[in-house]
Amino acid sequence: MMWALVLLPLAGALIAWLIPDNRKRPLVLPVFALAQLFLVGALLIDTPPVSPAGWILLDPLGKLALLSNSVLFAVCAFYAVGYLAYRRRRQNRVLCAALLVCLSAMTLVAISQHLGLLWIALEATTLTMAPLIYFNHNARSIEATWKYLLICSVGIAIALLGLFFLAYSTIVAKQDVTLLLPSLISDAAALHPGWRHAAFIFLLVGFGSKMGLAPLHTWKPDAYGEAPGLVGALLAGGLVNCALLALLRVYQIAVASTEGALFQNVLLVMGLVSMAFAAVFMARQSDFKRMLAYSSVEHIGIITVALGLGKGALFAGLLHMINNSMTKGVLFLSCGNIHRAYNSKSTAAVRGALRRTPWSGALFLAAFLAITGSPPFSPFVSEFLIVSSAFVEGNFWTGALFLVFLALIFIGMASTVLPVVLGEVPADLERTRYRDALPTVLPPLLLMGIVLMMGLWLPAPLQQLLRDAAGQLGGGA
């Protein structure tokens, strides 16, 4: 049944490819997204045991990533139907098929217990996202696609070298050669320290580039800026989680070895550096979609800081992974609507979105408040828990820098978002076909409801899942 999670979206991709009608083809997306989400729910309730060879298991960390990605994809699938109705002149066969193949690859990342299989699945997500970024078929989108492929593929290749080093460390230590995660965790302290250390460095750089940790984030502004809104939502809220999960697997091995403290310190520094980069580049952004790329760098930094702090911050970091995914979905889908309505991403041309697109403008404004840590939304809860943990554990400089960067980022992001949503609609506005309608407004509205609900009330089963996942990393609530 576990393999059905991977095969079901592939079947949907094949069906989407074979359907000749450009209007009917997008309907395949929500059908198979809902079927996959239902299957995920069933497996969360009744989780199968590990596969006979030990390669496949849905553990708590995998459950979190799978649940978050599946919910986000289902919402984006419904949005795609409305979005593609406005883009009927654009052929969508590749888009629909690639989206479902990407869902299959993201699912395989979540259930993999063999690091080699995880690497293959992660590389598959990289390749399937490339045609999605290129959907608009213009010079900027092809530049963004090539930059994305170049940097992410180099990063994944570096991660592959890290896996080779990790496997070789078992040979030098005269252990059984394996990349199975449970075996590596149990034997972590016995692995050859030199090769193990080299492996951790290469894996951190490799997976960090796919996550978009600064200064390895340079593919993000172009990719996020040129991709359609629903693709940007999956990049920022889905693929980033897959790369993060890969890093969490390395984190499990590092904590079980003698290098856990060093690995955490490196993560802490990289997280703060990412927040600093975001604070600098967020200010005075003239393209509001590129601005969201730096917001993604910031929140990957926040999660990485939580991993660096360890202990109680791990629960908060994993919660922030979900919060970031849901909120980024609202931001990208709503700003995609605004982009369609104005036919521009420039803050010089886009004004008065609350008047031109009332629902999308309001959602964009609410999501801005949420992603910058304003109560009562869920990112406030996870960020508060992270900074509280820093001060409780005596990391006063970390806590202080964390708060300073959050304040600077709020100011920088506000300087872009507020002019876009407020004010008067330009008199010379280009006439476009887009108007806010149920198919393109309800999906981000649903995600916004989840973000608000999780800020006010966190369901007990989700709390327990977060505790179990944090426990795998050596921490708890």
Side-chain angles (χ1 to χ4, degrees), residues 46-67:
D46 184 16
T47 306
V50 64
S51 64
W55 286 40
I56 300 296
L57 175 67
L58 191 57
D59 63 2
L61 283 171
K63 287 178 180 179
L64 276 181
L66 183 61
L67 177 62

Side-chain angles (χ1 to χ4, degrees), residues 92 145 158 218 255 384 424 446:
N92 60 41
T145 303
I158 291 172
T218 50
V255 170
F384 179 80
E424 296 293 331
L446 177 61

Side-chain angles (χ1 to χ4, degrees), residues 4 30 58 82 119 122 183 214 228 269 333 370 387 389 396 465:
L58 191 57
W119 182 92
L122 198 59
S183 299
V269 171
L333 298 184
V387 75
S389 180
F396 300 111
L465 182 57

Side-chain angles (χ1 to χ4, degrees), residues 403-421:
L403 291 174
V404 168
F405 292 147
L406 286 182
L408 292 174
I409 289 165
F410 178 88
I411 295 169
M413 198 169 181
S415 67
T416 299
V417 172
L418 295 182
V420 167
V421 298

Side-chain angles (χ1 to χ4, degrees), residues 166-180 183-184 187 191:
L166 195 59
Y168 191 68
S169 71
T170 64
I171 297 175
V172 176
K174 298 182 180 179
Q175 305 268 341
D176 292 333
V177 181
T178 182
L179 285 176
L180 282 171
S183 299
L184 289 171
D187 298 334
L191 300 178

Side-chain angles (χ1 to χ4, degrees), residues 135-457:
F135 179 70
N136 288 315
H137 291 192
N138 54 38
R140 287 186 175 182
S141 63
I142 196 169
E143 179 186 354
T145 303
W146 278 113
K147 186 178 290 187
Y148 160 80
L149 277 175
L150 178 65
I151 296 173
C152 287
S153 294
V154 168
I156 291 296
I158 291 172
L160 181 61
L161 286 175
L163 293 182
F164 288 157
F165 293 161
L166 195 59
Y168 191 68
S169 71
T170 64
I171 297 175
V172 176
K174 298 182 180 179
Q175 305 268 341
D176 292 333
V177 181
T178 182
L179 285 176
L180 282 171
L181 186 64
S183 299
L184 289 171
I185 293 173
S186 62
D187 298 334
L191 300 178
H192 186 275
W195 288 105
R196 183 184 62 202
H197 187 70
F200 288 161
I201 294 172
F202 275 71
L203 290 168
L204 177 58
V205 172
F207 293 143
S209 66
K210 184 68 184 284
M211 290 166 57
L213 276 172
L216 310 169
H217 68 285
T218 50
W219 62 270
K220 277 191 170 185
D222 291 294
Y224 286 23
E226 299 306 321
L230 72 100
V231 176
L234 291 173
L235 276 169
L239 263 71
V240 163
N241 283 357
C242 291
L244 175 60
L245 180 61
L247 184 66
L248 291 177
R249 299 308 190 189
V250 180
Y251 186 95
Q252 288 180 269
I253 301 169
V255 170
S257 72
T258 57
E259 299 185 73
L262 176 61
F263 195 72
Q264 287 178 320
N265 288 335
V266 172
L267 288 175
L268 189 61
V269 171
M270 291 191 73
L272 291 172
V273 167
S274 296
M275 294 182 71
F277 266 75
V280 171
F281 288 101
M282 190 84 76
R284 305 183 68 84
Q285 276 293 322
S286 60
D287 183 325
F288 57 84
K289 288 184 74 175
R290 288 176 68 91
M291 173 201 69
L292 297 182
Y294 294 109
S295 176
S296 180
V297 173
E298 173 210 357
H299 287 276
I300 284 300
I302 289 173
I303 296 169
T304 308
V305 167
L307 295 177
L309 290 171
K311 299 181 181 179
L314 295 172
F315 176 94
L318 294 172
L319 175 60
H320 198 74
M321 178 183 77
I322 300 174
N323 294 339
N324 178 57
S325 295
M326 300 299 106
T327 313
K328 281 297 192 304
V330 183
L331 282 167
F332 275 97
L333 298 184
S334 59
C335 87
N337 293 342
I338 296 170
H339 180 200
R340 292 265 66 79
Y342 287 80
N343 199 28
S344 176
K345 304 174 293 174
S346 171
T347 55
V350 181
R351 289 287 192 276
L354 279 172
R355 295 174 181 270
R356 179 70 178 81
T357 52
W359 283 97
S360 297
L363 284 168
F364 193 50
L365 180 59
F368 151 68
L369 293 173
I371 205 67
T372 50
S374 304
F377 301 106
S378 55
F380 166 77
V381 177
S382 48
E383 289 177 9
F384 179 80
L385 290 174
I386 293 170
V387 75
S388 297
S389 180
F391 285 118
V392 167
E393 298 296 332
N395 293 290
F396 300 111
W397 279 108
T398 298
L401 287 172
F402 191 92
L403 291 174
V404 168
F405 292 147
L406 286 182
L408 292 174
I409 289 165
F410 178 88
I411 295 169
M413 198 169 181
S415 67
T416 299
V417 172
L418 295 182
V420 167
V421 298
L422 302 176
E424 296 293 331
V425 179
D428 58 347
L429 175 65
E430 178 184 350
R431 296 179 67 87
T432 61
R433 292 176 54 239
Y434 180 81
R435 297 293 184 274
D436 272 344
L438 194 65
T440 52
V441 167
L442 185 59
L445 184 62
L446 177 61
L447 286 177
M448 198 71 239
I450 294 174
V451 173
L452 178 59
M453 180 202 73
M454 289 178 59
L456 300 173
W457 170 69

